[in-house]
Amino acid sequence: VNDNPSQYKITLSGTLKSPKLNFDPPFLIMMPVPLGVETEADISIIPQDYLRQSQICVELPQIEAEDGDRIYPFSVQFPGGQDIVLSSDGKSNQLICHVSFRSSKPVSVLGNMCFVDREGN
């Protein structure tokens, strides 16, 4: 530096954590209900290690009924919004996901709901 032929070597190291979502409860068991009656539950989604704002989307399972028809008996709502927002201390807000199930056909379901952010995490 400043026409000095000495060389300086700087070594940098770091750890990058991938963003992830935790769920409370970690799995959901919904009560059996009569045909056409809705059952519902809330899930808390806790984002971790997000460095910037993002948004959560949900892929809902398609179910095959006994008669062969394909139905989508699940629906979700985010009463407080779907945005992951960072607070001033670097932590992400907790999101509430309201899950409901209603079917006019008899079904028994063991399936996955896939929650992803804008980057596909």
Side-chain angles (χ1 to χ4, degrees):
V1 182
N2 296 335
D3 297 325
N4 187 345
S6 300
Q7 294 184 354
Y8 296 92
K9 184 177 181 180
I10 298 174
T11 303
L12 302 174
S13 65
T15 303
L16 178 63
K17 295 182 179 181
S18 295
K20 62 182 176 181
L21 300 172
N22 290 321
F23 298 89
D24 184 28
F27 58 91
L28 189 61
I29 299 174
M30 301 186 89
M31 297 300 297
V33 291
L35 295 178
V37 175
E38 185 174 77
T39 184
E40 51 194 11
D42 286 339
I43 300 171
S44 295
I45 302 173
I46 303 110
Q48 290 188 326
D49 301 323
Y50 276 82
L51 300 176
R52 61 181 169 263
Q53 184 173 333
S54 192
Q55 189 175 61
I56 299 294
C57 296
V58 185
E59 298 170 5
L60 299 174
Q62 182 185 51
I63 310 300
E64 184 173 338
E66 291 177 351
D67 63 4
D69 284 349
R70 297 235 177 242
I71 58 173
Y72 290 91
F74 290 99
S75 64
V76 296
Q77 294 179 339
F78 291 87
Q82 295 173 245
D83 292 333
I84 296 173
V85 179
L86 300 177
S87 63
S88 58
D89 63 0
K91 297 193 177 196
S92 302
N93 63 315
Q94 178 175 310
L95 304 171
I96 300 298
C97 179
H98 183 78
V99 180
S100 59
F101 173 90
R102 179 190 313 233
S103 177
S104 60
K105 299 179 180 201
V107 292
S108 179
V109 179
L110 175 61
N112 294 315
M113 290 183 181
C114 186
F115 292 80
V116 295
D117 63 19
R118 284 185 187 152
E119 288 79 35
N121 297 309

